[in-house]
Every structure is written in C-alpha cells, then in structure tokens.
Amino acid sequence: MRVAGNPTKQQLREECIVNDRWEAPLIKVQSLAYIVLQRPDVEQAARFFSDFGLLIDERTDSAVYLRGVSTAHQMMVIEKGAADIPRIGMLAEEADLETLAARFALPICQHSEALGGRYVRLEDPDGLVIEVCSGLKSLSPLPAQPPLPQWNGAGDNKVRVNQMARNPLRPAWVYKLGHTVRSVASMQASLNWYQQTLGMIVSDFQFLPGDPLPVVAFMRCDCGDKPVDHHTIAIGTAPLLGHMHSAFELDNLEELLIGNRWLADQGYSHSWGIGRHVQGSQIFDYWREPKGEVFEHYVDGDVFSAAEATGYHLFNSEAQHQWGPEITADVTGQNRPLQTLRSIARRLFTQDDITVGRLKRLLKAVNS
Ligand SMILES: [Fe+2]
C-alpha cells in the first residue's frame, strides 16, 4: 500500500533525470568474468577464498588464480600489492574488442597464460579498470561431486526413500561470480558510461524521497532474449567510495547454509544475512574477508531478458530485504564512524553526489 506522501512508481519514473538504457551502445558485454584483488598477504587471502568455496587452480610468481566448479573460466586473481580491488573482467564478443580498440585508440592485449584470451583495458568514471575480454581459457572438468540428497517435501511429496540426508560440513561449491557492487562519485556519469559503452540496462532504480537522482541502480547485461542475472554491476551513493561487495552464486539453499556454518567455524567475520533481497530476489549471506572487503554467497536470483522494463522504487531499510535479520551497521558503515566521517568531509568539498542534504536523507532512509 502507498504511504501517504510517498511518490508512486510512476512519479519516480517521471521525475528521474537519468536514462535506464541507451538506444545504440558501443558494445554489449555479456557477463562478469573475474575480479582482481591485490593483497599484501596473498596466502591469507587465498585461505579465506578457499574457505569461501573457490578452488586454487594455478599459482605463478605474481598471482594466485581461483576457479569455481564450473569449467567456464577463472573467476578471481589475487595479486601481491596494497589492499585494493583495481580491476574486473567482463566477457564480450571478439568483434567488440575490435570496436573498443578502434573507438578509443587502445591496444588489444594478450592475457596471462592462466586466464587466456585477449582484452581491451577501459577505465570507468571512478577509475575502476574493466578488462573487456574474449576467449578466456576454459578449465578442466573437476572430479564429479556426489550429489546432495534431495529434499523430502510435505505430505506425500517424498523423493528420498531409504536414504538419509547427510551433508558433511565443507566450503560451499561456488558456480560463478555473479555481480559486483560499488559506490560511485557521480551516478549520472557512471550510468551514462555503463549504458553507452558497455550496453548495460538498469533493472531497478532506488530513490530517496524528493530526489530525482537515483541512489542505487542495479544493472544487467543486454543479451537480448537470453535471460541474464538481474544485476551484474550495481552502483550506488554511499559515504565510502569504491567496492561494496561482490557476490558468488551457489546452487541451492543447503549449500548456502553449509557455507555459512563452515565460514563461521573458521572464525571469519559475518556481515549480514541470511535473508532474501527485494531487487534481484537472491537469498544472500555476506562475509568480510581478512582485509575488510565484503563477499556474498547467493542462491535463487531473478533472471531477466532485455525486454523486462526498469523498476522505480524508494530506497529505505525495507527495500533491501524481504525477510531475514535487519540490515546491519556493518553493511551501512555505521560501525565505522571515523572512517565514514573522514570520507564525507573530503567529499563535501568536491562536485560529486554527496551533499549534506542527500546524506541526511540517506541516513533517514536507511534507518526508516
Ligand atoms: Fe549482492
């Protein structure tokens, strides 16, 4: 039901000052392929992600390459360096690499042997490097895993007969890198860039009341009729700029619960969950790795074709999840007041989206 004074979806759409898609983008990326982490202690990071469910596939002098159970391609590279997430890889057609190279006068580079294929190196408006890739190396199939016992339903819906449910604790089996979420300096600049350069479509916007500039945009790839994840890249306005979380897909709820117990038993820091999101519908579970970045296990996300229209919604605490624990101070940043205030103080003297008025509305919305 509409709360008195709150705008309708139609009003939010009419007042919105940014596009939800671009008619003729330069290229259309197909999916997120990998994320590159730089960490001072590569082995510590590799241990966390092994417990998170990724598998160490290759090691070189300069990097560790991790995969999931899929044979598609590597999904994470950990390099030695100051703690940072400087690059991501996205998949595109080989012809798209030629288009980008010609348009921006950039070279088409050869990837490391471990990743394989070729890429063009772009930078988004906030300086995140996006390696648009083609021909990433396929991986060898893993030894077959024993299937999880099926679930018996209620009443006569019993499919597991004379067989007990035994699922020993272990790291979850991860299938793919699904999405990454970042806080950006300018929603307008980022939306223009991701739509015009990479062909991304906004699945859902979220707005603060009375503000025509969205504070969150969930963007998916445009693969025409082929259904794709509700969001592959999401961007938002938040006090701290940069990486907010990246998410990996599991097959089912029991995997997520086993993964949760395993990570808790290893002593890692839980961030938020288990719950079900609203936009994208994923059942989610958020964890912090040792250097403080958040990574998510998720199952049962929505998939859309390019035909699905963009949704327009208000941003508030209820807009983030359908059920599960309330959003935590760890996610909102309210448990890191000094770091948050320092960032806000710096940004108030710039021309980016953080203003005193928007900050007040954000704080009110997140606690409403
Ligand atoms: Fe997520």
Side-chain angles (χ1 to χ4, degrees), residues 21-341:
R21 64 180 74 191
W22 196 253
E23 194 86 357
L26 194 54
I27 68 163
K28 292 179 177 178
V29 288
Q30 299 167 342
S31 65
L32 191 56
Y34 57 83
I35 183 165
V36 179
L37 272 73
Q38 290 177 345
R39 290 290 180 268
D41 187 340
V42 171
E43 290 310 315
Q44 180 192 50
R47 264 197 308 281
F48 170 81
F49 285 104
S50 298
D51 285 323
F52 190 78
L54 301 185
L55 305 163
I56 295 174
D57 193 52
E58 280 195 61
R59 287 174 187 273
T60 66
D61 290 343
S62 57
V64 176
Y65 294 83
L66 297 106
R67 63 174 288 178
V69 295
S70 147
T71 58
H73 48 73
Q74 314 278 10
M75 57 177 84
M76 179 175 282
V77 184
I78 308 174
E79 301 174 343
K80 193 163 177 65
D84 194 9
I85 299 183
R87 312 194 300 278
I88 61 172
M90 301 197 78
L91 280 178
E93 298 283 353
E94 183 70 25
D96 293 330
L97 271 54
E98 309 285 346
T99 304
L100 292 172
R103 173 64 184 272
F104 299 117
L106 291 169
I108 299 180
C109 307
Q110 205 68 38
H111 252 318
S112 64
E113 210 174 301
L115 284 170
R118 306 198 303 161
Y119 70 98
V120 173
R121 181 187 188 280
L122 303 180
E123 270 187 41
D124 83 355
D126 287 273
L128 173 69
V129 172
I130 301 194
E131 295 171 346
V132 179
C133 309
S134 176
L136 291 180
K137 187 181 80 179
S138 311
L139 308 171
S140 312
L142 296 170
Q145 306 286 351
L148 289 181
Q150 290 179 287
W151 280 25
N152 278 340
D156 292 334
N157 182 17
K158 301 292 187 282
V159 292
R160 207 182 64 245
V161 177
N162 300 333
Q163 187 199 353
M164 290 154 289
R166 297 287 183 270
N167 300 325
L169 279 183
R170 53 170 170 71
W173 294 334
V174 171
Y175 280 78
K176 74 168 186 186
L177 171 61
H179 62 261
T180 190
V181 180
R182 299 187 67 92
S183 162
V184 298
S186 163
M187 288 294 284
Q188 182 133 33
S190 291
L191 283 161
N192 285 344
W193 191 84
Y194 280 98
Q195 291 174 21
Q196 293 173 12
T197 311
L198 303 184
M200 303 200 74
I201 300 171
V202 177
S203 297
D204 285 290
F205 281 126
Q206 290 179 328
F207 298 86
L208 297 169
D211 194 337
L213 185 68
V215 284
V216 182
F218 297 96
M219 295 184 284
R220 68 184 185 276
C221 299
D222 180 352
C223 293
D225 294 338
K226 183 184 158 198
V228 298
D229 291 341
H230 169 273
H231 55 279
T232 295
I233 294 190
I235 55 173
T237 304
L240 293 169
L241 285 169
H243 182 256
M244 297 180 83
H245 74 264
S246 295
F248 292 83
E249 186 179 46
L250 314 180
D251 184 54
N252 59 65
L253 182 58
E254 185 146 10
E255 275 294 314
L256 188 111
L257 296 167
I258 289 173
N260 173 285
R261 187 68 250 170
W262 181 265
L263 286 162
D265 284 353
Q266 314 312 309
Y268 294 115
S269 173
H270 195 231
S271 180
W272 186 30
I274 296 167
R276 191 186 273 277
H277 280 308
V278 179
Q279 309 307 334
S281 305
Q282 302 93 339
I283 295 181
F284 62 86
D285 190 23
Y286 290 175
W287 290 85
R288 267 188 198 275
E289 53 90 47
K291 293 310 284 183
E293 295 294 346
V294 174
F295 291 87
E296 173 189 1
H297 280 153
Y298 75 90
V299 297
D300 196 31
D302 295 334
V303 291
F304 288 177
S305 75
E308 182 69 11
T310 300
Y312 292 75
H313 318 275
L314 277 181
F315 175 89
N316 54 43
S317 59
E318 285 178 11
Q320 310 313 316
H321 67 305
Q322 304 177 42
W323 52 257
E326 289 306 310
I327 193 164
T328 59
D330 188 71
V331 170
T332 62
Q334 287 167 303
N335 65 347
R336 301 181 294 285
L338 269 182
Q339 193 188 5
T340 306
L341 284 172

Side-chain angles (χ1 to χ4, degrees), residues 2-3 5-15 207 312-314:
R2 188 185 164 211
V3 177
N6 276 346
T8 62
K9 289 176 191 288
Q10 182 62 25
Q11 282 170 321
L12 290 172
R13 188 194 324 265
E14 284 167 6
E15 287 162 12
F207 298 86
Y312 292 75
H313 318 275
L314 277 181

